[in-house]
Amino acid sequence: MKLGLIEQPSIIPTEYQLLTSPTATMSLAKTAESSPNLSVSRSEGLYLYDDSGKQYLDLIAGIAVNNVGHAHPKVLKAVMDQVAKHAHVMVYGEFVQKPQEELAAALATILPKSLSCSYLVNSGSEAVEGALKLARKYTSRKEIISCVGGYHGSTFGALSVMGNELYQQPFKPLLPEVRQMRFNALDELHQITERTACVLIETIQGEAGIIQPEGDYLAKVRERCESVGALLILDEIQTGFGRTGSMFGFENYGVTPDIVLLAKALGGGYPIGAFCSSNKIMNSLATDPPLGHITTFGGHPVSCAAAIANIDILKNDGFVEQVTDKGALFKELLHHDAILEVRGIGLMLAVQLKSADQAQKSMDLCRDLGLITDWFLFADDCLRIAPPLIISEEQIKFACTVILKSLDQTN
Ligand code: PMP
């Protein structure tokens, strides 16, 4: 439809016109020079469908988002019901919005008591920003410690605590007073001192290619934080909501943080994040000055409704309990000369190949064969396995057969 507009010749030189449509004169910004050319028309359960109707089994769940599967009927119903009531009405924290209150209550049923106060935001990165500010405000200290290989998002605060120089370099200067220690290095915990406001780490490093904390590392970090009065912030943005076989990754290691960061799978496919702590810590954002963190769309009622339904499904539908066995089945089936290792926990796995080139070729072949997998930001020689948790045994077998077939052709 033209809507009566007169068509203008493009003023953008042809080489800069991205071909989203043959007649496009403007286009979406890209995040890289090339990306998989898959135009999604529909998604349901474990499957995505492209414009031609081709079906793809989704092994990455939008990067650990769609834990209950795509378009879960209970999530859809909750969204439709809320859309019919109201969408945005006011900036977070001002009016009483029932979906926000109900989501905070639902989160309190699955988190430890000391994390039962939730501040709702839009995304993982915003949860990181809010938590870093909260830690500085509560402790009146400045230093932040994170880990080499850590990924916490793309905003300036989150980028400042990223443990990868390549991605940080072009955007410097970043936040001052950020130090990094090596993940799993007990001999570097002495860096956490009375000057430290907080230690921010992923419970399991995701973008580094699924690196688990070894032995009692997390407990030792917790102990050190306590002894110097620093807050421990655990980023559960990838590990949360059943992905590791427990509702939260930290349950596997017997450690409770002072602040936990949530996003991705929280919303059952809809955008929402949260940082959660005790009332005592969280209250420091509300005084001297008040409004220490303001967010217009944070805790959007429609996303809250989706998140409440999502938590209900995860708590009651019984598939989180099967995640460990499903992960074990992947590990059992994925044997090939090209595979050096399959590491990870539950349905948060990395298939270590010999090179990035091999991983790229394998991903492309898998896509041709109707399977979506991916790489990791800091580990491009691995394939990512993070499917919806409702994946069936048959679907796991199909996925592994396709991966092995792709490796036959790339090895
Ligand atoms: N933390 C972790 C561990 C993540 O994996 C991500 C996203 N990949 C983020 C934070 C940032 O989340 P968002 O993209 O929603 O800002």
Side-chain angles (χ1 to χ4, degrees):
M1 243 201 321
K2 287 274 165 49
L3 291 174
L5 291 176
I6 299 163
E7 239 179 317
Q8 296 288 333
S10 170
I11 52 163
I12 304 170
T14 333
E15 62 269 31
Y16 296 126
Q17 291 181 23
L18 300 173
L19 296 175
T20 50
S21 111
T23 54
T25 54
M26 291 174 66
S27 63
L28 277 174
K30 293 235 168 190
T31 53
E33 279 175 5
S34 67
S35 50
N37 196 15
L38 197 163
S39 178
V40 180
S41 65
R42 193 169 74 79
S43 67
E44 190 178 346
L46 256 290
Y47 296 103
L48 307 180
Y49 299 87
D50 72 12
D51 291 342
S52 73
K54 180 174 169 182
Q55 174 180 282
Y56 301 83
L57 184 76
D58 181 8
L59 262 202
I60 55 173
I63 314 296
V65 169
N66 308 93
N67 286 11
V68 300
H70 294 274
H72 192 292
K74 288 183 188 163
V75 174
L76 272 184
K77 180 172 184 324
V79 165
M80 303 304 258
D81 287 351
Q82 183 55 43
V83 166
K85 286 181 196 151
H86 66 87
H88 176 82
V89 286
M90 186 50 179
V91 167
Y92 173 83
E94 298 290 313
F95 295 170
V96 177
Q97 298 187 48
K98 284 202 188 63
Q100 295 179 342
E101 293 201 322
E102 284 166 19
L103 176 55
L107 281 169
T109 65
I110 52 173
L111 282 166
K113 217 166 165 220
S114 60
L115 298 173
S116 59
C117 184
S118 294
Y119 191 117
L120 304 176
V121 291
N122 291 282
S123 66
S125 297
E126 194 190 355
V128 171
E129 301 294 328
L132 291 177
K133 287 165 64 184
L134 176 61
R136 279 198 171 165
K137 185 110 193 307
Y138 180 74
T139 61
S140 299
R141 300 177 185 178
K142 293 191 172 59
E143 186 182 75
I144 295 165
I145 296 187
S146 59
C147 275
V148 176
Y151 182 83
H152 303 283
S154 253
T155 50
F156 262 102
L159 185 63
S160 302
V161 290
M162 181 189 281
N164 187 291
E165 177 65 18
L166 178 74
Y167 285 91
Q168 288 181 315
Q169 229 306 314
F171 306 105
K172 288 186 173 179
L174 301 173
L175 268 188
E177 310 239 15
V178 176
R179 296 167 74 96
Q180 297 217 316
M181 52 184 195
R182 281 183 302 122
F183 193 63
N184 277 329
L186 291 173
D187 59 349
E188 297 195 8
L189 296 186
H190 63 85
Q191 291 195 51
I192 308 168
T193 68
E194 273 82 9
R195 298 208 330 274
T196 310
C198 63
V199 174
L200 165 54
I201 51 182
E202 290 163 275
T203 307
I204 297 166
Q205 290 196 320
E207 295 313 307
I210 315 296
I211 312 295
Q212 286 192 71
E214 288 163 8
D216 58 356
Y217 177 71
L218 278 187
K220 289 278 192 260
V221 176
R222 167 80 274 182
E223 217 175 279
R224 178 76 187 169
C225 284
E226 246 163 55
S227 71
V228 299
L231 299 183
L232 174 61
I233 306 175
L234 285 182
D235 181 337
E236 286 271 344
I237 290 166
Q238 274 198 45
T239 46
F241 301 99
R243 173 106 350 243
T244 67
S246 303
M247 194 59 88
F248 297 101
F250 58 72
E251 293 168 28
N252 300 300
Y253 309 100
V255 169
T256 302
D258 298 297
I259 305 173
V260 69
L261 309 181
L262 309 174
K264 286 196 183 279
L266 165 60
Y270 291 80
I272 188 162
F275 54 105
C276 313
S277 188
S278 64
N279 282 306
K280 183 174 171 228
I281 294 175
M282 199 66 89
N283 282 345
S284 64
L285 269 186
T287 54
D288 303 323
L291 303 170
H293 187 77
I294 305 176
T295 175
T296 298
F297 283 129
H300 191 282
V302 175
S303 294
C304 285
I308 295 162
N310 179 55
I311 291 171
D312 184 61
I313 298 162
L314 287 166
K315 275 171 70 175
N316 297 314
D317 284 18
F319 51 81
V320 173
E321 291 76 3
Q322 300 164 6
V323 164
T324 303
D325 287 347
K326 290 178 181 179
L329 183 58
F330 271 107
K331 285 186 176 171
E332 190 188 313
L333 296 175
L334 286 174
H335 290 283
H336 193 281
D337 283 350
I339 297 177
L340 303 181
E341 183 188 15
V342 182
R343 57 173 180 268
I345 174 170
L347 288 171
M348 186 177 183
L349 302 173
V351 182
Q352 178 70 57
L353 302 177
K354 291 176 186 161
S355 68
D357 183 53
Q358 188 170 44
Q360 187 59 56
K361 284 187 179 133
S362 166
M363 278 183 285
D364 292 344
L365 282 164
C366 283
R367 203 165 46 254
D368 291 346
L369 295 168
L371 180 75
I372 305 292
T373 172
D374 200 10
W375 51 295
F376 296 88
L377 199 56
F378 310 147
D380 56 6
D381 52 359
C382 295
L383 298 180
R384 185 191 299 265
I385 297 183
L389 310 181
I390 56 169
I391 191 168
S392 69
E393 198 176 314
E394 286 321 302
Q395 289 164 330
I396 293 174
K397 286 180 181 161
F398 168 81
C400 291
T401 306
V402 170
I403 291 174
L404 296 177
K405 202 184 268 184
S406 79
L407 292 175
D408 283 343
Q409 292 179 43
T410 56
N411 204 21

